[in-house]
C-alpha cells in the first residue's frame, strides 16, 4: 500500500450537490491529519485539521476511520468556488515530516 | 501580517547556471520545507530544516542545495546538476510541537531558457 492514496478524480458535480473524497494511509500510528485546498497554479492552503474522530466547519466535514485507515472530506451544498484540488496530508513516521497526497480534482458546475 | 514570502515569482535559468530561490517567514516557525510540484502531480519534498544550521534531504534532493543560517530564511539553490528543473517550487514552514500544519508561500515558477 502507498503511504497515502487519494481518489484520482476528477469529480464533476452540479452546484448544490454533496460530494465526498477519501484518502487512505498506511501508517497505522498516525494520529492527526490535514486537508488542504489548492487552486490552479496557486499554493496549497489549509482547509481543515483532523485530530480525532472528525471535524466540521460549515459545509465541510472531515472524518477519520482509524480501523480502516482512511480519512474523508465531505462538502455539502457545493459552490462554484469550491472548484479546486483537495490534498490530504498525513504524518510520515515520528516527528513533523508529512506526506502530501496527489490530490483530488473537483469541478463544480452551474 | 505574518506569512511566508517567496521570490521571485517567476525565474528563468540558462543551461549550466545555478539559481537561488528565496524564502522568508515571519511566523516564528522552527521548521521550514522546500517542495517541488510538477504539472498535475503532487508535492515532493526536496529539503527540510527543523532548526537553524541543520537541514536534511527529502525525497528528491539531488541537484539542489539549501542553507539555514537564520530562523527566518531558507533559500534553495537549483544547481546545474538538476537536469529537469522546470517546476513550481513551494516553500513552507510549521511549528514543531506535535504534528503541526504547514503554511505555504505563493511559490516560484522556474523554467529553462
Amino acid at each position: 500500500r502507498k503511504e497515502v492514496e487519494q481518489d484520482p478524480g476528477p469529480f464533476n458535480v452540479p452546484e448544490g450537490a454533496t460530494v465526498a473524497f477519501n484518502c487512505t494511509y498506511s501508517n497505522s500510528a498516525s494520529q492527526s491529519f490535514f486537508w488542504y485546498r489548492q487552486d490552479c497554479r496557486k499554493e496549497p492552503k489549509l482547509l481543515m485539521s483532523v485530530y480525532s474522530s472528525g471535524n466540521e466547519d460549515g459545509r465541510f466535514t472531515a472524518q477519520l476511520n482509524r480501523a480502516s485507515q482512511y480519512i474523508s472530506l465531505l462538502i455539502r451544498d457545493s459552490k462554484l468556488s469550491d472548484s479546486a484540488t483537495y490534498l490530504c496530508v498525513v504524518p510520515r513516521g515520528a516527528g513533523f515530516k508529512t506526506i502530501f497526497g496527489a490530490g483530488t480534482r473537483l469541478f463544480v458546475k452551474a | 501580517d505574518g506569512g511566508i514570502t517567496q521570490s521571485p515569482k517567476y525565474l528563468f535559468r540558462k543551461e549550466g547556471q545555478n539559481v537561488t530561490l528565496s524564502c522568508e517567514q515571519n511566523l516564528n516557525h522552527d521548521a521550514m520545507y522546500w517542495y517541488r510540484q510538477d504539472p498535475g502531480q503532487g508535492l515532493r519534498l526536496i529539503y527540510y530544516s527543523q532548526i537553524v544550521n541543520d537541514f536534511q534531504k527529502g525525497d528528491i534532493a539531488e541537484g539542489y542545495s539549501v542553507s539555514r543560517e537564520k530562523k527566518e530564511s531558507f533559500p534553495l539553490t537549483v544547481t546545474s546538476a538538476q537536469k529537469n528543473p522546470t517546476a513550481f517550487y513551494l516553500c513552507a514552514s510549521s511549528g514543531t510541537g506535535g504534528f503541526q500544519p504547514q503554511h505555504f508561500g505563493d511559490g516560484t515558477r522556474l523554467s529553462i531558457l
Side-chain angles (χ1 to χ4, degrees):
Chain A
R1 180 188 245 182
K2 286 186 179 178
E3 290 178 290
V4 57
E5 282 191 276
Q6 292 189 244
D7 288 344
F11 285 64
N12 294 286
V13 303
E15 274 188 294
T18 295
V19 61
F21 313 133
N22 283 335
C23 171
T24 59
Y25 60 93
S26 61
N27 181 5
S28 61
S30 299
Q31 297 291 314
S32 51
F33 309 84
F34 303 110
W35 281 103
Y36 280 74
R37 169 200 171 118
Q38 186 175 26
D39 291 291
C40 189
R41 300 178 67 82
K42 300 285 189 181
E43 76 276 19
K45 293 185 178 177
L46 181 66
L47 181 65
M48 296 186 75
S49 304
V50 188
Y51 290 114
S52 56
S53 60
N55 192 11
E56 185 172 327
D57 183 4
R59 298 183 293 110
F60 297 84
T61 300
Q63 292 186 318
L64 168 60
N65 185 315
R66 292 188 191 280
S68 300
Q69 294 183 214
Y70 74 85
I71 58 173
S72 62
L73 179 67
L74 181 77
I75 305 176
R76 288 180 297 277
D77 188 22
S78 298
K79 312 290 184 190
L80 293 175
S81 57
D82 293 334
S83 297
T85 298
Y86 291 85
L87 311 173
C88 73
V89 181
V90 304
R92 174 185 283 176
F96 62 97
K97 281 181 64 179
T98 56
I99 308 168
F100 282 77
T104 299
R105 193 76 187 271
L106 171 66
F107 294 99
V108 181
K109 299 177 289 187
Chain B
D1 285 340
I4 301 176
T5 301
Q6 289 188 242
S7 63
K9 205 170 185 65
Y10 300 95
L11 186 58
F12 297 91
R13 194 191 89 170
K14 295 179 181 178
E15 292 286 343
Q17 185 182 42
N18 293 351
V19 292
T20 297
L21 284 59
S22 170
C23 178
E24 304 277 335
Q25 56 100 357
N26 60 5
L27 299 168
N28 199 32
H29 284 161
D30 286 312
M32 296 188 74
Y33 313 77
W34 274 105
Y35 293 91
R36 168 182 173 140
Q37 188 174 36
D38 293 283
Q41 305 294 316
L43 278 66
R44 291 187 290 168
L45 183 64
I46 304 173
Y47 269 98
Y48 65 101
S49 168
Q50 191 174 3
I51 198 168
V52 173
N53 293 324
D54 186 53
F55 48 83
Q56 284 80 39
K57 293 181 179 180
D59 301 313
I60 55 165
E62 185 174 350
Y64 300 96
S65 66
V66 294
S67 63
R68 186 86 187 276
E69 297 176 1
K70 298 187 298 182
K71 184 175 183 176
E72 302 78 21
S73 178
F74 192 40
L76 174 74
T77 296
V78 184
T79 74
S80 58
Q82 172 51 246
K83 298 306 179 189
N84 184 23
T86 298
F88 186 38
Y89 290 87
L90 288 157
C91 178
S93 71
S94 75
T96 52
F99 186 43
Q100 299 281 336
Q102 294 175 25
H103 302 271
F104 287 84
D106 58 6
T108 293
R109 292 196 179 275
L110 176 62
S111 301
I112 287 191
L113 282 176

